[in-house]
Amino acid sequence: MSESINTKGGLYQGQLRSRARATPPTTAAAAATIMKKSHLSVPHTSSTIIDNNNPAGGGGLPPTPIDHDDRFNYALLLALYTLQGIPMGLSASIPFLIQQKVQMLASSVHHHNVATAAADAAINSASASSNSLAELTKIAYNAQAIFALCSWPFSLKLLWAPIVDACFSKRFGRRKSWLVPIQLMAGMLMVFGSGYVEQELGLDNNSNSNVVGSVVDGSVVDSAATTTGVTFFFFTLYFLMATQDIAVDGWALTMLSRKNRGKGPICNSIGQNIGYFLSYVGFLALNDVESSENLWRPLLRLPSRPGTGLVSLGGFVKFMGSFMLVITVFVGLFKKEVDMSIEGGDCCTIGCDMETLMPKNGVEEEEDDDDDDEHEIDAYEIGIMETYKRLWSVVKLPAVQSLILILLTYRLPCALSDNVKFLKAVEFGLSKQTTALLSPTIILPLGILVPIIGTKIWQGRPLKQFMFAYKFRVTVVALVDVLMLLTVRSFRGGNTSLIGGETTSRLIFWGLLIASTALQAIVHSLQFNAQMTFFAHRVDPAIGGSYMTLLNTFGNLGGTWPSSVVMYMIGQFTIPPVCSVGEDGSEVCTGGRDAYFPLQLVLSTLGCMWIFVMSKRVHHIAELPDDAWRTQIENEDEEEMQQLKKGGKHA
């Protein structure tokens, strides 16, 4: 669950200033700021940054009081970033609903076929039950594997970020040109598509009996096909919100006053966490049947409705879509976007030559120190094609290629803990509400404290911190996860004799659940903090924003693709037990295999092999000099500009 908010996007993506990049940050606070930067939206190149609500404050003049205006801008940024967190939280809750639905179907099919076996006294009916359950298990995890693809747009937004930066209507606003229509489309998709999502997931009462009947008859309904529709729905929503993220991050750089612009990452982090936990923790808690009946309805003095959650998925999605539309209309009507650094009207800069970057009359303009900090090349300024060219120059560096290989491979051995562990816990009987509440109570606080402590322990050695956490992650964490799941299965299944009575088993149950959650949060935070700190130390100052975007893209991809792979493998290799009716009429289940546990052993072994093979490469890139990470683009641009100047003088 912690991965959702870190790797599904939403990391602040404003650009590094040239001076700040020349001396990379070493503190935890600075690293936390740097780790929020991952796309191509960069500040404009004009030496005068005009505040939206105080145009007279630029040009080096003493700023007029803007605290009140910036407070309004803070609130607006928080609202916009909260909108980004909503689809992330909703998509994080869908796998639990899929698992819950398949469990209900499996239970119905199982009891139907066992009853048939008892009535017919035929062994083949028990075999049919086993086949049906096996097919349902395979379908469930195939559906999870397909749905895991929906978060890819946040990992791939680098591909269209230059287009968002370079194409706009100045009359409407450079960022509003994208933000308003994108949010309108996302809001309408959620409002009018809420019923479709609920229907495709089979959460209405009518679909359950039909699917069970189809399974019993031997023609299993391919629920993975319906999940494909839900996946496409959320993939589209993620694409829209990833595009909105590009626009908001760019707007944050000019919306806030110069002295407060560094607080943009804070708005991003707080806003996305609010949106994520509101739609993930809030929805699962209010949708949980037991909590709704025993807590929420008595608290709100609502009539009892056993077996029904306080909110449905369709109703929650529609409400959130309406909220998005309200915010969008407010922004479109009442928020003005002023950016005097853009000349002319509408713009779509495909490419440009170096002459457009030369000072007028061949005379270099002097810039104040403060203005120099603000200067960075923009896709609007150099064009879309030149931006992609600079990105490709980064990929061709041998040091970056080694880093990309590490980023794309190290997350596979951890994929079960990252993506399947809590789904298995719910399958074994852990409530959705308990699972949801683990995030704000354990994962979130550790995610804040651990990077600060880790930076103090491994000062200036981020990759040593990375490898320490990884060794712990593929061994101790994996073992604790297995013990936790075995305990949950025994405790929720009523078999407490294996773990020492009711009281002892309850203590062990909660101890292992908390330990598994906390250890996972600690090692993930240590690795993520080390990864982003290393990025900040190695980016080329000439193209720092694009460089960070590229590295973050591969880091996100490394965490995205393994989820579908392990979900598919779990479905393929899990074998449900064969159940039949004994002579005394009791139900007897034998055999079966849960693929999670042997697959965890395989992946942990693979993780140890990764450490043995790749640790030398990790150590090697840690020792490389700064020149190994430089593209030399800045020097090439300067040489070309000097040649153009000389040519102009001769003419």
Side-chain angles (χ1 to χ4, degrees):
M1 291 184 299
S2 62
E3 304 294 329
S4 304
I5 204 162
N6 286 331
T7 66
K8 289 182 179 179
L11 302 177
Y12 179 70
Q13 291 134 11
Q15 301 306 315
L16 304 175
R17 301 293 183 264
S18 55
R19 253 181 222 179
R21 293 193 307 268
T23 307
T26 56
T27 65
T33 299
I34 294 300
M35 72 184 234
K36 295 296 184 180
K37 309 175 188 295
S38 68
H39 81 62
L40 289 168
S41 179
V42 292
H44 311 306
T45 59
S46 171
S47 61
T48 302
I49 302 296
I50 305 298
D51 178 60
N52 293 343
N53 301 295
N54 184 25
L61 297 177
T64 54
I66 53 173
D67 291 342
H68 176 73
D69 291 338
D70 268 356
R71 284 198 295 268
F72 172 78
N73 290 331
Y74 290 148
L76 179 58
L77 286 175
L78 282 173
L80 294 176
Y81 283 123
T82 297
L83 297 183
Q84 290 180 22
I86 290 173
M88 298 177 193
L90 285 172
S91 65
S93 64
I94 295 298
F96 293 100
L97 298 180
I98 295 175
Q99 207 72 1
Q100 174 185 315
K101 184 63 179 180
V102 172
Q103 281 183 274
M104 293 171 56
L105 295 176
S107 178
S108 299
V109 171
H110 169 72
H111 291 300
H112 179 280
N113 284 329
V114 168
T116 302
D120 298 343
I123 298 179
N124 61 341
S125 294
S127 299
S129 174
S130 176
N131 292 336
S132 298
L133 292 175
E135 192 68 19
L136 276 173
T137 301
K138 183 180 296 185
I139 286 175
Y141 282 100
N142 286 350
Q144 301 283 11
I146 293 173
F147 185 76
L149 300 174
C150 72
S151 64
W152 277 64
F154 262 101
S155 299
L156 299 176
K157 62 184 175 182
L158 171 66
L159 298 178
W160 64 91
I163 300 174
V164 176
D165 282 336
C167 300
F168 53 87
S169 169
K170 184 184 178 183
R171 286 184 291 271
F172 190 58
R174 182 178 184 185
R175 307 304 176 180
K176 286 175 62 177
S177 297
W178 290 91
L179 182 128
V180 171
I182 286 294
Q183 287 187 179
L184 285 175
M185 286 189 287
M188 288 188 290
L189 179 65
M190 294 174 70
V191 170
F192 295 106
S194 56
Y196 170 80
V197 173
E198 197 165 47
Q199 182 180 359
E200 288 294 288
L201 287 174
L203 298 178
D204 54 333
N205 295 328
N206 296 329
S207 62
N208 187 37
S209 59
N210 295 335
V211 174
V212 173
S214 299
V215 174
V216 172
D217 292 339
S219 56
V220 179
V221 173
D222 188 4
S223 63
T226 59
T227 307
T228 303
V230 177
T231 303
F232 181 76
F233 175 90
F234 276 95
F235 185 92
T236 304
L237 193 58
Y238 261 85
F239 175 80
L240 293 173
M241 298 315 295
T243 306
Q244 184 255 24
D245 185 49
I246 299 170
V248 175
D249 288 342
W251 197 4
L253 296 170
T254 56
M255 182 185 297
L256 298 176
S257 63
R258 182 178 303 171
K259 68 175 183 179
N260 293 324
R261 197 164 296 132
K263 298 178 182 178
I266 300 175
C267 296
N268 183 307
S269 179
I270 296 175
Q272 281 200 353
N273 276 283
I274 292 173
Y276 180 85
F277 290 116
L278 177 66
S279 56
Y280 173 69
V281 180
F283 169 71
L284 287 183
L286 296 176
N287 181 256
D288 185 71
V289 173
E290 183 178 349
S291 300
S292 298
E293 188 64 22
N294 299 328
L295 176 62
W296 303 119
R297 288 195 175 96
L299 185 65
L300 299 174
R301 298 182 179 181
L302 297 175
S304 174
R305 295 184 60 188
T308 305
L310 187 65
V311 299
S312 66
L313 176 63
F316 195 84
V317 171
K318 181 179 291 186
F319 174 80
M320 288 301 177
S322 301
F323 173 69
M324 185 176 296
L325 290 176
V326 170
I327 296 296
T328 304
V329 171
F330 176 84
V331 172
L333 294 179
F334 301 107
K335 180 61 179 176
K336 302 295 183 181
E337 182 179 1
V338 180
D339 194 340
M340 300 303 296
S341 66
I342 302 175
E343 299 178 358
D346 298 349
C347 177
C348 188
T349 310
I350 304 300
C352 70
D353 54 42
M354 292 303 299
E355 293 182 358
T356 61
L357 301 181
M358 289 183 61
K360 294 180 180 180
N361 301 321
V363 179
E364 294 186 6
E365 298 178 354
E366 295 183 0
E367 294 183 350
D368 295 334
D369 290 341
D370 292 340
D371 295 335
D372 181 64
D373 286 343
E374 298 295 338
H375 182 84
E376 185 169 323
I377 298 299
D378 190 301
Y380 152 69
E381 189 177 20
I382 65 175
I384 298 173
M385 301 307 298
E386 178 64 20
T387 303
Y388 287 124
K389 178 183 176 181
R390 295 185 177 215
L391 290 173
W392 180 242
S393 68
V394 174
V395 176
K396 292 190 295 184
L397 293 173
V400 173
Q401 291 176 355
S402 294
L403 181 58
I404 289 173
L405 179 62
I406 293 169
L407 294 174
L408 290 179
T409 56
Y410 85 93
R411 292 283 291 277
L412 177 60
C414 317
L416 281 177
S417 294
D418 294 346
N419 302 283
V420 184
K421 174 178 65 177
F422 284 109
L423 288 177
K424 271 293 173 185
V426 171
E427 180 182 326
F428 291 158
L430 189 67
S431 69
K432 293 183 298 179
Q433 182 192 26
T434 301
T435 305
L437 292 177
L438 291 174
S439 289
T441 56
I442 298 177
I443 296 176
L444 184 60
L446 287 175
I448 296 172
L449 295 176
V450 168
I452 299 174
I453 299 173
T455 303
K456 292 182 178 180
I457 296 175
W458 288 279
Q459 290 182 355
R461 298 171 295 175
L463 291 189
K464 189 173 182 179
Q465 172 183 324
F466 178 91
M467 290 303 298
F468 172 84
Y470 191 68
K471 293 173 183 177
F472 202 80
R473 190 173 189 175
V474 299
T475 54
V476 177
V477 174
L479 177 61
V480 174
D481 288 346
V482 169
L483 293 176
M484 182 272 291
L485 288 175
L486 290 174
T487 304
V488 170
R489 185 169 64 179
S490 298
F491 184 77
R492 293 301 182 184
N495 188 8
T496 58
S497 60
L498 296 178
I499 48 180
E502 180 71 23
T503 303
T504 304
S505 64
R506 186 177 295 275
L507 291 175
I508 295 175
F509 166 77
W510 284 106
L512 285 173
L513 181 61
I514 293 172
S516 174
T517 306
L519 289 175
Q520 171 71 12
I522 290 171
V523 295
H524 170 71
S525 296
L526 283 175
Q527 283 199 281
F528 189 73
N529 172 253
Q531 174 182 312
M532 301 309 298
T533 303
F534 183 76
F535 289 176
H537 279 73
R538 293 298 184 265
V539 295
D540 186 347
I543 51 171
S546 303
Y547 211 134
M548 287 293 291
T549 305
L550 186 70
L551 296 182
N552 276 290
T553 295
F554 284 106
N556 289 337
L557 283 176
T560 302
W561 74 266
S563 59
S564 295
V565 173
V566 296
M567 293 288 190
Y568 177 79
M569 294 175 68
I570 288 287
Q572 292 297 312
F573 297 113
T574 294
I575 300 176
V578 177
C579 296
S580 59
V581 179
E583 295 180 357
D584 57 352
S586 62
E587 181 181 341
V588 179
C589 296
T590 58
R593 179 186 65 207
D594 194 314
Y596 182 96
F597 302 104
L599 187 57
Q600 181 64 80
L601 178 62
V602 172
L603 290 181
S604 293
T605 304
L606 184 62
C608 294
M609 293 173 60
W610 189 96
I611 293 171
F612 179 78
V613 174
M614 301 294 288
S615 59
K616 293 182 179 179
R617 187 183 294 265
V618 174
H619 178 74
H620 172 69
I621 66 171
E623 299 298 326
L624 287 175
D626 289 345
D627 288 344
W629 304 88
R630 301 292 185 256
T631 60
Q632 308 303 323
I633 285 180
E634 190 173 40
N635 295 335
E636 294 174 4
D637 288 349
E638 290 179 357
E639 292 176 2
E640 189 171 349
M641 291 178 70
Q642 290 296 332
Q643 292 176 0
L644 288 171
K645 291 177 184 178
K646 292 179 181 179
K649 290 179 180 179
H650 289 307

